[in-house]
Each structure stands twice: as C-alpha cells, then as structure tokens.
Amino acid sequence: MSGFSMPAAGGVPPRPGAGGTGAGADAGVGAGAGGGVPVAGPTGAFGPAGGRGSGGHGPDGHGPGGAPGADPYRAPGTPAPQPFQWLRPSDPERKAPATGRTVLAAVLAGLLSSWLLIDGLGVNLLLCAAVVTVGAGAAARAAGRRPRVWTVLWSALALALLAVPALYEAGWPVLLSTVWAVGLASLALHGGRRWSGVLLALPGLLWQLVPGLVWAGRALRGRRAGDRGQLVPVLKGVLVAVVLLTVFGALFAGADAAMANVLESLVPSLDLGELPARAALFALGLAVALGFAHIAAGPRRWDRTVVRPGRARGRLEWALPLAALNLMFGAFVVLQAVVVLGGAEAILERTGMSRSEYARQGFWQLLVVTVLTLVVVALAKRWAPRGTEADRRLVRLLLGALCLLTLVVVAAALGRMWFYVDASGLTTLRLWVLAVEIWLGVVFVLLIVAGLTPSAGWLPRAAVLSAVAAAAVYGLMGPDAMVAEHNVARFERTGQIDLRNVRYLSVDAVPALDRLPGDYRTCALGLVAYNLRAEGSTPWYATSLAASRARGILAERPMPDHYSYAEDACDRVGMSRDYAFEG
C-alpha cells in the first residue's frame, strides 16, 4: 500500500467506480462490487491481465457482459463521454479545505524561495523543501490521512536526491536529482501501485499548481471576520520581532566583526534589479507549496484510471515476428561468443578498425537496440494472445527469451563502452550512458523475474524504485569528480590524458585535477579558477561542499590571475585551442 490512508467521509456517498469511500491510495483498485474498476491481478509480467471486478470489463475489453461500446461508468441512454471524462474515475472522494497553517507554510516557503534560491542551489533547497513538507503534512492531517510505508520510502528518497545540490555543483546531476525529487514527492502524496497510478502520479504536481492557488484563495475568502482577526496578533508579533532583531543585530554587528559577517551572510541584499527575479521565486515557491498541499488534502486516485487492454492478436500473427526477432538476437549472441573465444584482436584485424572505433561504432547501436526492445516488449504484452493457457505459456516463453537475450546485448554494450573508455578516457557523457545502460539491464531483470512470478503487481513501483536508485547513485557519486579521478589516474599510470575531457568539468573535479603536474594542472584548472573568481563570494546556503573544497584548494595553490596563462599552458602540453575564450 502506498500514499496516505484516509478515513471514510461521514455522510458522503461513494462515487460510482471509486471502490468505496475512504479507501487508501491503493485500496480503490478492484474494491467494491459494482464499482466497475479493473482488478490489478495480472498473472505475471508476460501473462495476461487478471480478472475483473463485478460489473467491470469483459474479456474482450468491452463493458459489462462484453457489449461493444458499453462503458462501465456511463448508464445506458446517457450522453457520450465528454473530453477529460477519463479523469472521473480518479476523482478524490473528498477534498479537505485549506487551513491557516497550510497557507502560512506556503507563504513561508515562497518567502524562503525568494530569499535563498536567487543565489544558487545548495542547502537552501533542502530548507525550502522542509517548509513545503510541513505544509503538505498539515493538509494531510486536516484531511485525516495517515502515511503509509511507501509514502515514507518515496519521501526519504526525495530528500536524498535533494542532498545532491548541497554536495556537488555539476549542472546535469543537480537538475536530474531535483526533477526526480519533485516527482517522488508527488508520488508519495498520491500513492499508486499500478502503471497508471505510478506514471500519472509522478508529474502530478504540474496539474495542481493553479488549482492549489484557487483552493487556498477560496479558503481565505470563506473565513469569518473573527477568524481574520486572529491574524492581527500574529502580524503584530512578527513586526515586533523584526524591529528587535534589527536593533540588536546592528548592535552586535558593531561590537563583533565575526558576528557582523554571520549577520551579513544571513540578511539578503536589497538590490532593486533583483526584485522581478525574487517575485518570480516567491510565486514559484508559493505555488509549489500549495500544489503539494492540495494533493495531500485529497489526491486523485490514478490507480482507478481505466486502461483497456489492446485487442488480442491471433497466435500466429503475434508470435511470428517475435520468434524472428528472437532468432536475430540469438545470432548476435552466438557472434559475441565467437568474438570472446576468438579474441577481439582477430576481429579488429579483419575489420581494419582501431579499438576505440570498434567500441564507438557498436555501443550506440546496441543502446538503441536495448531501448527499442523495451518498447517491443511493452507493445507485445498489450496485444498478446490470452485466450487459453497455451497462449499464456507462449507469451511467457517468447517475451522471456527476448528479455534474456537482451541482457546479453546490454552486457555487450557495456563491454564496448568500457573498451572505448580504456582507449580514450572517461567523459561525463560516457559515464551517463553507462549508467543508463546498467539501469536498462536492471529493468529487463525485473521483467524476467515478474514473468516467473504469479503476480506482477509489484513491477511498476519496482521499476520506478530502480530508476530513482540509479539517479540517486549517479548524483551522489559525483560524476564530474569520478571522471576527473579516472583521467588523472590514467595519466599517472600511462602518462596520457585528453585535457578536453576534464578542463570543462565543474568544481567537483578540482581535488583530482589538483594532482596533475605543472602545465597540465594549469591547463585543466584554468577555466574553473576563472569562473570561481568571476562568481565572487557565495552565501553559505547556496554553496555546495564541492565548491567550498575547491576554493580552499585554489587558495592554497593559487592559479595565475589571467586566463591567458592557462591557454598558454594548454599550448605547451600540446592541446590545441578548440574554442575562443574572451575574458
């Protein structure tokens, strides 16, 4: 079970197809006779969908009794479904109104966003996320919802991902981790275990940004005058606190230089040119906080979304192309075995290609093969024959064999990329595609295991969990630092390094690149040192651990003040200037 549990709303009749009022995030699936909701009970990843609830779809995907065109959510004689009619089964049983605590937490999140996030990302992102979490928790408590195990797991993973900006500076890992963290927070509040529930919940915040603002505005307009009067003491207290902190802060700052530095780092600069950006950050923080709170107050139950299975194909029509594809994959596997037994050098002699050319040519094609195979498996599962037990065995056999053979393709792709890295060095792009290929291999392993189990209800959440784990490991290991460490170690071992692979890395790479000698170090760190000097001082809340470490290293062993010295050093070590830099 995932999401929050919610008690029954007193006096609220169950909505048709909702599976009963008061169900948890997952309990709505197949619950309640006559609900017309499909039961999530597949026989396996490669088997057909399970049985249906009372009044649900017939075996041909039509409505009750298998009547063509019947809709389990529309009574006979009613008008045809309107646009977005498919959203109705997922409507929440009830939506708790916004509370003063929720709105106050959202305003605080907006203020913190406008104050802290304008200088960059770091610990400030975790601070803003903590306030947003408090607001969502208050909304969930007002709705009578209690957290479940999967809620806690998704939330913990989201916080782990938000720790990446506090540790490293590299842009792509920070962006990937932040996006995944937002998606996981949405999944934690929505709940969901079916494919529809999981995949539609991940971007669920996007559809709640505007409704969250309307929800909060409606609650504020509905408050009585006496309730509004309760805000006056709070505002007076805040005003008095600001005056006291300003007066005594100025006195302490004048009495102690260290205290003055601390207060200066905490107080934002009042630059009129930054007002539009700060206003935009306030609006973003407010909308995000209210969007999450709006979800927590009564989420959509995406698990109830009706996804009709595709029309089952005939056994020959379905199996013939898959059998041919399995034969081609088998031929590739046999060829790879010949290459391994015969030695790669013999293959290179016959093809006339270098080690790096052979690896580079093969990896990208094999990566595309892996992705396309995943699409083929999904589509084949949708149109698989499912009339008899023999059909189901055939589905498991052909799709299971294809997944097993694809694992060999994944292994071959990884081997070729490692071949390429050994010949040419590691780059951030090569490390990224290695991580993606490994994750795809894990997905195929999950598909194989699901095909061998009687029920694959765990597969959607397991697939998302594997993707989140891959993103977290990729971000927390510091890709730029790893790339720099690999190339420097290769230089120490062989005396060879392609500086173009490392000189454009972020400050995460400074500790490893600092070990390079003489002109190699000057060339590799020239751009990083110039950017740090151009940025100037950064507040503690917007500085990552890697940036602080890099500033300390460059302070101990300073770089030349002018960037042209670094360019001259690159010329002396034989690296041509591959771009024009003006600075």
Side-chain angles (χ1 to χ4, degrees):
M1 302 289 288
S2 65
F4 289 82
S5 64
M6 180 181 290
V12 180
R15 178 184 48 77
T21 303
D26 305 315
V29 182
V37 180
V39 175
T43 59
F46 308 133
R52 305 291 177 181
S54 175
H57 297 290
D60 57 353
H62 296 300
D71 191 326
Y73 298 102
R74 179 164 57 96
T78 58
Q82 300 298 315
F84 304 108
Q85 185 78 7
W86 62 276
L87 287 174
R88 289 191 59 193
S90 65
D91 286 343
E93 294 91 355
R94 65 187 182 96
K95 178 76 69 174
T99 64
R101 293 180 181 179
T102 299
V103 176
L104 182 62
V107 172
L108 180 57
L111 292 174
L112 282 177
S113 299
S114 63
W115 174 23
L116 301 179
L117 297 183
I118 197 168
D119 295 305
L121 297 182
V123 183
N124 49 13
L125 202 57
L126 277 171
L127 297 177
C128 294
V131 178
V132 172
T133 302
V134 171
R141 185 175 181 179
R145 302 179 65 202
R146 298 182 300 275
R148 299 297 183 98
V149 174
W150 280 95
T151 305
V152 176
L153 177 61
W154 296 135
S155 301
L157 287 173
L159 291 176
L161 288 168
L162 288 180
V164 173
L167 298 176
Y168 300 105
E169 286 284 320
W172 174 239
V174 167
L175 176 62
L176 180 68
S177 300
T178 304
V179 171
W180 262 115
V182 173
L184 282 183
S186 177
L187 179 58
L189 294 174
H190 277 99
R193 63 181 179 183
R194 300 174 62 202
W195 284 113
S196 58
V198 171
L199 296 181
L200 291 175
L202 285 172
L205 174 66
L206 298 178
W207 340 123
Q208 302 297 332
L209 295 178
V210 175
L213 294 172
V214 176
W215 172 69
R218 185 183 301 117
L220 291 177
R221 287 195 303 269
R223 296 179 70 89
R224 299 188 303 273
D227 295 333
R228 295 192 186 100
Q230 296 175 0
L231 295 177
V232 175
V234 176
L235 294 177
K236 289 181 179 179
V238 171
L239 181 60
V240 172
V242 170
V243 172
L244 292 175
L245 290 176
T246 301
V247 173
F248 283 92
L251 293 173
F252 279 122
D256 188 87
M259 187 67 177
N261 290 332
V262 171
L263 293 176
E264 184 180 355
S265 66
L266 292 176
V267 178
S269 60
L270 298 178
D271 186 354
L272 295 180
E274 293 179 349
L275 286 181
R278 290 187 184 275
L281 287 173
F282 173 81
L284 178 62
L286 179 69
V288 168
L290 289 177
F292 278 128
H294 189 242
I295 297 172
R300 283 192 171 275
R301 303 304 189 187
W302 292 113
D303 273 339
R304 298 172 183 158
T305 304
V306 178
V307 181
R308 293 180 174 84
R311 182 175 64 86
R313 306 292 175 176
R315 186 181 301 181
L316 184 61
E317 177 187 4
W318 180 88
L320 183 60
L322 277 183
L325 191 60
N326 272 293
L327 289 176
M328 176 172 288
F329 274 63
F332 177 81
V333 170
V334 171
L335 181 60
Q336 295 307 298
V338 172
V339 170
V340 171
L341 295 176
E345 299 300 330
I347 298 296
L348 294 177
E349 290 179 2
R350 287 197 294 269
T351 60
M353 303 172 67
S354 66
R355 291 166 58 93
S356 60
E357 289 174 342
Y358 178 73
R360 183 171 62 249
Q361 180 200 37
F363 172 79
W364 296 106
Q365 287 87 339
L366 294 181
L367 178 62
V368 173
V369 166
T370 307
V371 175
L372 289 180
T373 304
L374 194 60
V375 176
V376 168
V377 170
L379 295 178
K381 171 66 173 63
R382 177 173 175 80
W383 292 315
R386 46 185 176 266
T388 64
E389 182 60 30
D391 289 333
R392 292 189 283 273
R393 282 198 301 268
L394 179 64
V395 170
R396 287 193 291 268
L397 176 63
L398 288 179
L399 292 183
L402 185 59
C403 289
L404 282 173
L405 293 172
T406 305
L407 288 180
V408 180
V409 175
V410 170
L414 292 174
R416 296 206 182 187
M417 177 51 73
W418 192 250
F419 203 20
Y420 189 22
V421 168
D422 185 59
S424 304
L426 186 64
T427 66
T428 52
L429 176 61
R430 294 166 195 169
L431 182 60
W432 164 246
V433 294
L434 274 171
V436 171
E437 188 70 30
I438 292 174
W439 173 69
L440 289 173
V442 171
V443 171
F444 279 102
V445 171
L446 292 175
L447 288 174
I448 293 171
V449 174
L452 299 175
T453 56
S455 175
W458 54 269
L459 182 59
R461 288 189 290 199
V464 172
L465 185 60
S466 68
V468 172
V473 170
Y474 178 77
L476 293 174
M477 72 182 181
D480 283 16
M482 179 173 287
V483 169
E485 179 64 35
H486 179 276
N487 282 278
V488 171
R490 183 169 176 265
F491 174 81
E492 294 171 343
R493 186 176 65 253
T494 65
Q496 298 178 351
I497 185 172
D498 188 348
L499 291 171
R500 289 170 297 185
N501 292 348
V502 297
R503 71 191 307 253
Y504 304 120
L505 297 176
S506 66
V507 297
D508 305 345
V510 170
L513 299 180
D514 185 58
R515 304 204 313 262
L516 292 172
D519 288 336
Y520 286 96
R521 177 182 182 272
T522 303
C523 177
L525 292 178
L527 185 58
V528 171
Y530 177 85
N531 288 335
L532 285 177
R533 284 195 297 267
E535 290 176 2
S537 60
T538 306
W540 63 270
Y541 50 79
T543 302
S544 66
L545 180 62
S548 299
R549 187 188 300 118
R551 291 181 185 275
I553 291 174
L554 294 177
E556 292 178 2
R557 299 180 60 192
M559 293 286 294
D561 292 336
H562 202 277
Y563 186 78
S564 60
Y565 288 101
E567 290 289 81
D568 294 338
C570 292
D571 290 338
R572 287 193 293 271
V573 296
M575 197 197 84
S576 61
R577 304 189 186 194
D578 52 356
Y579 83 109
F581 182 86
E582 298 178 4

